[in-house]
Amino acid sequence: MARHNLEKQLSILDFALSSLWRHRMKSLSVLLVFAAVIFLLASFQMVTQALSDKAKQVLAHTPEITLQKMSAGRQESIPLAYGEQLAGIFGIRRVVPRIWGYYFDEVRLANYTVMGLEVNEMPEGGRLGATLAKGVMPGPADEAQGRVVVGQSIKKTMDLAGRTTFSLFRPDLSLKPFEISGEFSPDTDILTNDLIVMNVADARDLFGIPAGLVTDLCVYVANPKEIETIAKKISEALPSVRVLTRSQIQKTYQVVFGWRSGFGSICLLAALAAFVILAWDKASGLSPEERREIAILKVLGWETSDILAVRSRESVIVSGLACIVGMTAAYIHVVYFDAALFRPVLMGWSVLRPDLHLLPRLAAGDILLILAFTVIPYLAATVIPAWRSATVPADSALGG
Amino acid sequence: MLIELSQVSKVYNQGRANEVRALSGIDLTVEQGSMVCLKGPSGSGKSTLLAIIGCIFPPTSGRAVIAERQLARLPDRFLTLHRRETIGFIFQRFNILPELTVLENIALPLLPLGVTPKERKLRAHELLERFGISHRAQFPAGQISGGELQRVAIARALINNQPIILADEPTAHLDTNLSREFMAIMQQLKAAGKTIVIASHDPLVFEHPAIDRTVTILDGRIHVP
């Protein structure tokens, strides 16, 4: 009995395949549109996941807690002396000053992110060397004045060719010379592409920030489990200071990518809805030949359930093929074309677009999500027309 | 009796504005191994009567017993199963699926039965040999001649070895030679014990010597001259 059923199922599958071939223009048009919808959704999901992964990986190097002084709801420079006020909080390993700002290059119409760091004072400063493709991070002010590490796009944008020196304007329009001592790895492009890292003294000089002030204080803690508690104690000790933990910054990035992805998804849902309408239309529009074929099969002893099974197999085959084609195309689009279609939406506002090489990740959950948003609506849209076609009366195959 | 119809009537769209009474008070019996022709003009009810005998739908009223099963008592699914085991159909224009091969067309009734591909092929080849068209087995059915098409349709009606063969206007689109050839094959099948009912208004059919009885249908009723 089981063998008999298996033979029947195989026969129906065989007939469904030949039926798709016989109506190949109709099948192909639905398959192509379906594959295109899956391609868009899968590409979007892959890019979002890859960007989130990359951001998470790079943000692992950020300080556990960042302090910024707020005044009238806006950020302003924070006195170095604030760090001394935190000496009494147990569990703080070190407080390191940082200057973080933006430099607009009027000649090239590009915005650079400038970061002044005291790498030697940072507890894990040595590990920052791992983010470099070549060279070393700038040392303390007395040893490395004017030395910088730059992101991949900086050299290209400044058109430095073989030179390793360049100059930027101070607020008083005098020129400050810099020498490139290292370059960030392309793997960190998402955060470092437009970045120039120098020591704090150079950054203070470039931006004209008075001595004793910086933009942020980076707080490193001894026990990562105590981050939230220490952050709370800092907030109590310094009420005018904004306290940002690493997990909050990571969440901000996730939300930004999530928002962009959500925006894109809404746009793609419109495409999906249009496709479902097309699928319904194609599946319900039986040609006279198709109606005749169904009637003939029924007269020849095919049950309504057999016809429905053929139609269902056809839908499953089209869905399966569309999934394979769509997801493969999405993978190629992300890996080999760096998600060219979605880069403007997902990469943000920076003038220097990161030259990212994304490694797509598609977890089982993501695949299920894509299937839920594509295959299930398609099957739902075709099942009723399939049932309607299966109920074509058999006597319509007979003459008058 | 293999076919017994008593006071059978069929009304389409009953109770609606477009109600059509297709058959009224039909009494008909057909013995096993006989060949009966249902004669009458287009729209007289021949095809409806053939559909009831072919277990496509039950009558609206009356008693129809086909191969010892009373149709009115059978749900739609069992009508299909009974038709599958009992009735072989030959359609007007033969209703062959032109994109399928000759062999695939002949084997179509076996697909939902769970018959293995090997067995399907074997049975189809036996019939192709019998009707002299084995060389056309792998040809698309849309590319063979009218005479070959007719034999494919007959082979398909016999593939499941059903005892009753129903033919609906089988010679309507055939020339005289092919019509004669068709009737010759029917005569052979009758000799082999098949019960055959042909709906036709072609004199080549109803005047054929192999026909045991001709029943004239007019306006949904059996016409007695």
Side-chain angles (χ1 to χ4, degrees), chain A residues 40-207:
Chain A
L40 292 173
L41 281 173
S43 291
F44 218 80
Q45 192 68 15
M46 282 181 193
V47 173
T48 309
Q49 283 296 341
L51 287 173
S52 295
D53 285 357
K54 204 142 197 171
K56 202 179 278 181
Q57 185 190 338
V58 178
L59 286 168
H61 296 291
T62 57
E64 280 101 9
I65 300 172
T66 304
L67 306 183
Q68 294 170 341
K69 188 164 187 282
M70 304 299 287
S71 176
R74 297 179 68 85
Q75 191 190 342
E76 62 176 30
S77 297
I78 184 168
L80 285 171
Y82 276 31
E84 291 157 20
Q85 291 181 41
L86 304 177
I89 298 175
F90 186 76
I92 292 181
R93 196 170 160 196
R94 195 169 293 176
V95 180
V96 181
R98 183 174 73 178
I99 290 177
W100 182 339
Y102 298 100
Y103 181 93
F104 182 63
D105 185 338
E106 291 185 34
V107 178
R108 296 161 192 100
L109 298 176
N111 214 22
Y112 309 138
T113 301
V114 174
M115 199 172 284
L117 298 174
E118 291 301 346
V119 177
N120 291 352
E121 286 186 37
M122 292 161 66
E124 294 180 14
R127 285 176 61 187
L128 283 177
T131 62
L132 302 182
K134 59 181 177 185
V136 289
M137 295 296 285
D142 51 343
E143 290 174 17
Q145 204 160 21
R147 292 204 175 163
V148 293
V149 171
V150 295
Q152 289 291 314
S153 283
I154 300 286
K155 275 179 81 174
K156 277 184 233 163
T157 309
M158 290 185 172
D159 198 18
L160 294 177
R163 287 182 294 122
T164 57
T165 57
F166 64 92
S167 297
L168 300 177
F169 287 102
R170 293 187 184 93
D172 61 6
L173 299 182
S174 61
L175 280 168
K176 179 173 173 58
F178 289 100
E179 184 183 355
I180 296 171
S181 67
E183 280 175 37
F184 284 107
S185 159
D187 289 344
T188 63
D189 262 2
I190 191 168
L191 291 182
T192 65
N193 193 51
D194 63 345
L195 187 63
I196 303 173
V197 172
M198 55 190 71
N199 66 41
V200 170
D202 280 331
R204 181 176 287 125
D205 182 24
L206 177 66
F207 289 125

Side-chain angles (χ1 to χ4, degrees), chain A residues 3-5 7-8 11-12 14-15 18 22-23 292-293 295-306 393-395 397-400, chain B residues 12 43 47 51 56-57 76-77 80-81 83-84 89 91-92 95-100 108-109 111-117 120 156 168:
Chain A
R3 185 174 168 73
H4 168 88
N5 276 334
E7 285 297 344
K8 179 175 173 174
S11 301
I12 283 174
D14 187 36
F15 190 79
S18 77
R22 275 180 280 131
H23 308 123
R292 194 177 65 96
E293 179 179 319
I296 292 167
L297 293 176
K298 292 185 84 170
V299 172
L300 293 178
W302 288 53
E303 292 179 64
T304 300
S305 61
D306 296 329
D395 60 318
L398 301 176
Chain B
Y12 292 108
S47 292
I56 288 174
F57 45 66
D76 191 50
R77 181 162 185 264
T80 304
L81 296 179
R83 177 166 72 246
R84 196 186 273 176
F89 268 96
F91 302 90
Q92 197 179 114
N95 276 351
I96 298 295
L97 303 185
E99 301 92 347
L100 295 183
L108 264 183
L111 258 63
L113 298 179
V115 177
T116 63
R120 290 204 302 261
R156 187 175 65 184
D168 183 27

Side-chain angles (χ1 to χ4, degrees), chain B residues 58 63 70-75:
Chain B
R63 188 168 176 270
Q70 192 172 335
L71 300 194
R73 291 182 187 165
L74 291 178

Side-chain angles (χ1 to χ4, degrees), chain A residues 14 48 116 142 226 232 234 244 249 281 318 334 346:
Chain A
D14 187 36
T48 309
D142 51 343
E226 289 184 323
K232 198 176 167 192
I234 295 171
L244 295 165
I249 294 172
D281 185 53
V318 168
V334 176
L346 289 166

Side-chain angles (χ1 to χ4, degrees), chain A residues 376-396:
Chain A
I376 293 173
Y378 176 73
L379 293 179
T382 53
V383 72
I384 294 172
W387 178 80
R388 279 169 56 191
S389 70
T391 53
V392 167
D395 60 318
S396 53

